[in-house]
Amino acid sequence: MDGVLRSLVGLCVGPEGPLPDLEAVKADPAPAADDKKKGKKKSKKKGKKAKMEPGMAEAQTYASAVLRLVSLAEEQRVPLASAGSIRHLLPLLDGKNSAARWNARQTLINLSLCPELLPKLQLYKVPDYVHQANVPQTHFERPLQPAAAPPSKLEHQDSLGRKKEGSTGGAGTKPPALKPKA
């Protein structure tokens, strides 16, 4: 299954490519070698984004949809994250394709349900609305409120905001408009 997951994750990559592998950088903190080359520097053109190949938007949509469905299974979340899905799906959150964006968000939400993946999600700076790791636990606690006693009389409010008292009513009482005139 690992090979299938890696190929599906590879289809989710955008034209700019996936995010850098921060886990490998974190695990192997090798000092960067200073190459002092003298010569011309390559200048990058700013303002132009790389274009996607024809059919790539559909491939992103279908691959991210399959990853979303796979992420529903609890036993597949860790293998999915180890296949590199987080760094490939994050750029899709800012993409133009709404279906791929939705699938990527739902996949990341499903991955965030696995507590051992939260450090990895925070390493790649997944937005808080996805993993809610920065929300304090007190946010989810509701204070216990005592049950209120049912009122003996109901208060109604007409369209002008005036309060009227009425009885709780029964099967034998009619509204004032339907009572026969005496």
Side-chain angles (χ1 to χ4, degrees), residues 65-81:
V66 171
L67 290 177
R68 176 180 56 86
L69 293 174
V70 168
S71 72
L72 291 173
E74 291 179 18
E75 64 273 2
Q76 293 298 323
R77 291 178 185 154
V78 173
L80 192 59

Side-chain angles (χ1 to χ4, degrees), residues 99-121:
R101 186 173 58 234
W102 186 83
N103 286 326
R105 188 186 75 226
Q106 291 302 116
T107 304
L108 291 170
I109 287 173
N110 290 340
L111 291 178
S112 73
L113 297 176
C114 189
E116 59 261 19
L117 294 178
L118 280 179
K120 192 181 280 193
L121 291 168

Side-chain angles (χ1 to χ4, degrees):
M1 183 83 170
D2 190 42
V4 173
L5 291 178
R6 289 195 186 278
S7 61
L8 284 171
V9 166
L11 284 174
C12 290
V13 68
E16 292 87 22
L19 295 176
D21 192 3
L22 297 178
E23 293 174 272
V25 172
K26 185 180 177 184
D28 185 27
D34 291 330
D35 293 335
K36 296 188 178 184
K37 294 181 181 179
K38 293 183 181 178
K40 294 182 179 180
K41 292 183 178 179
K42 292 182 181 179
S43 63
K44 291 185 177 180
K45 293 180 182 178
K46 293 186 179 181
K48 283 194 171 185
K49 288 187 175 182
K51 289 188 176 182
M52 288 199 319
E53 306 235 349
M56 194 62 193
E58 291 85 2
Q60 281 180 346
T61 302
Y62 289 121
S64 61
V66 171
L67 290 177
R68 176 180 56 86
L69 293 174
V70 168
S71 72
L72 291 173
E74 291 179 18
E75 64 273 2
Q76 293 298 323
R77 291 178 185 154
V78 173
L80 192 59
S82 65
S85 63
I86 296 173
R87 67 187 190 103
H88 284 78
L89 288 172
L90 265 176
L92 286 182
L93 291 178
D94 298 326
K96 289 182 180 179
N97 187 347
S98 63
R101 186 173 58 234
W102 186 83
N103 286 326
R105 188 186 75 226
Q106 291 302 116
T107 304
L108 291 170
I109 287 173
N110 290 340
L111 291 178
S112 73
L113 297 176
C114 189
E116 59 261 19
L117 294 178
L118 280 179
K120 192 181 280 193
L121 291 168
Q122 290 173 337
L123 175 68
Y124 283 103
K125 297 181 179 160
V126 175
D128 287 344
Y129 68 87
V130 172
H131 62 78
Q132 297 182 352
N134 291 335
V135 178
Q137 186 62 31
T138 57
H139 174 76
F140 300 106
E141 296 171 359
R142 301 273 191 259
L144 183 62
Q145 297 176 355
S152 60
K153 292 221 174 210
L154 297 176
E155 288 188 4
H156 302 285
Q157 195 170 8
D158 65 1
S159 60
L160 298 175
R162 298 177 296 209
K163 292 188 177 183
K164 297 179 182 178
E165 285 190 16
S167 65
T168 55
T173 60
K174 291 185 178 178
L178 298 178
K179 287 184 181 175
K181 293 184 180 179

